[in-house]
Amino acid sequence: MQKEPTTAVHDDSNLIQPSPADATPQRRRKNEARTIGVASAIWAGSIFLSRIMGLLREQIIGRTLGASREADLYFASFTLPDFLNYLLAAGALSIVFIPIFLAYLERGDHKGGWEAFSVIANFILLAGCIGIALLMVFARPLAGLVAPGFTDPGEVDTLVRLIRIILPAQFFHVVGGLLSAALQAQDRHFLPAMAPLVYSAGIIAGGLVGAHAGWGADGFAWGVLAGSALGPFGLPLYGCLRTRMRWYPIVSLRNADLRHYLWLSFPIMIGFSIVVVDEWIIKNQASYLAEGVLSYLQYGRTLMKVPMGVFGMAAGVAAYPTISRMVAAGNVAEAYGVLCGAVRLLLFATFAAQVCMTLAGFEAAYLIWGVFGSRFGVADAQATATILAFLCLGLGGWAAQTVISRGFYALGSTWLPTTIGTAVAFAMVPLYVVLRRQWGAIGLAVASAVAILVYVLLLGWLQRRRFEREAAAKGTTLADASGMVDAALRLATAAGVAIGAGLGVRALLLAYLPGTQLGVILVRAAVLCGLGLGIYLAVARLLGIRELATFERMLLRRLRLRRGYPPPH
């Protein structure tokens, strides 16, 4: 286990109890910027490595199970456990709990903070155990709702067995999520950031052992359980114990912190936002399609999650505590400016990633799953690449929502984003069904992209209105804050031009440089990505995308620091 480094992130007590010298707005902004920068670097590195580990995990799954019915069943088995995770609002634990815990820390009441943690954690623990037990009992009838297209009795037996193996892992994810939130509230990001890596390592180990023992998909399922215990739960628990945590045996529904937590989490628990249910709907509808189609969709989503996580999740997770502090301090307009700037910068990066993944999707898929021989062939890589290109139409929306939604949470509003997400989900279900019937897997990919873009556009518009009202109440305005839509349209135009030109070059490359040998794949991918990115950056500059200049300054600053030169002032 890599030892936790002793960096400023792990010793930022001045952020909780600032000294008089740090009380000036300029010094405070520098501290906040430094904290976000260090946290962003930790989370970006972690999420990038996590995505690489995820690709390695999916590579082993693809090589072991291929695009087979067994792979379809394995991917479908996550829907019911994910549903329980969603009902317990595990994905929102850090978002909801961090402000509660921070309020105590800023008052210097550490005992009160751990009492709040204890009463919430104990409630979640009891609710989670009851939910796991019920879903274990009713797994078979519920499997028919999860994947109604799987009707063979043997397939249903396998699906139910995999569900029951994976279900207990949610206990570790949910309780571990609260432990991670407690660490993040103290600006201790390293161990929570490493948890996904250990989780993926557990799945990989389970799959390799299972492949050797002939367990098939069961090996990966047992790896999920082991990885969940060691990573999402074990690492944050170790980190909290190092901070002298106190876990009290408190169970009280009358506790004010628990009631506040439930009030903020309740809309997330009962709502079915498109951000979460999109994958459920796709798996449900894909079960009606041919063998392997669900796997193609899953493999394509796995590739898309790499830039989505690196650029979107890293920015959202790292910026949220600081945006929350700025809002709490009454700096609403400044908080909105920081949020919009983060969204524009991540869109600049995600559109660049979309160009590469659209032009070299086949090369990426075949390089990960098909090279050196496996159950994943050329036709499988072509199908995955086609689906990936259409999924990536929504890549910018997937990345942006991770930051935009946190703007609402920083304002203490969880009902509106969940309500909008739920309304979009229900409104879009017919679109998934119709497009699946018309165009199969491509139709599902298009429906997914349309749904997330509609959600993000509505959410961004409503968020600006909400920040305008909050700023007016503080006697300020958002007049000086640049928005997101204009930059998004310019970047989309640049990406569209680059993709259009790159597809023409791709046709020529396939004619003069065919084949699937490793060297050919790498050369073709490098040429396509290099050319596509070059065109994208050139068009972005012509369109006056100022985030390009920001990116160049960041890059030059890093190069100067690496060479030992002082940063420019």
Side-chain angles (χ1 to χ4, degrees), residues 285-286 289-290 293 297 383 386-387 390 393 430-448 450:
Q285 291 297 302
L289 300 175
V293 170
L297 286 159
T386 301
I387 289 171
F390 287 98
L393 293 174
L431 181 67
Y432 285 85
V433 176
V434 171
L435 293 186
R436 186 263 298 173
R437 291 175 175 173
Q438 292 293 321
W439 297 312
I442 292 176
L444 290 176
V446 171
S448 174
V450 170

Side-chain angles (χ1 to χ4, degrees), residues 330-369:
N331 302 320
V332 178
E334 187 178 353
Y336 184 72
V338 169
L339 188 149
C340 289
V343 170
R344 291 194 302 270
L345 198 58
L346 75 88
L347 285 176
F348 172 78
T350 51
F351 275 114
Q354 180 182 350
V355 171
C356 284
M357 298 178 78
T358 302
L359 296 180
F362 169 82
E363 285 72 19
Y366 195 77
L367 183 64
I368 293 169
W369 291 293

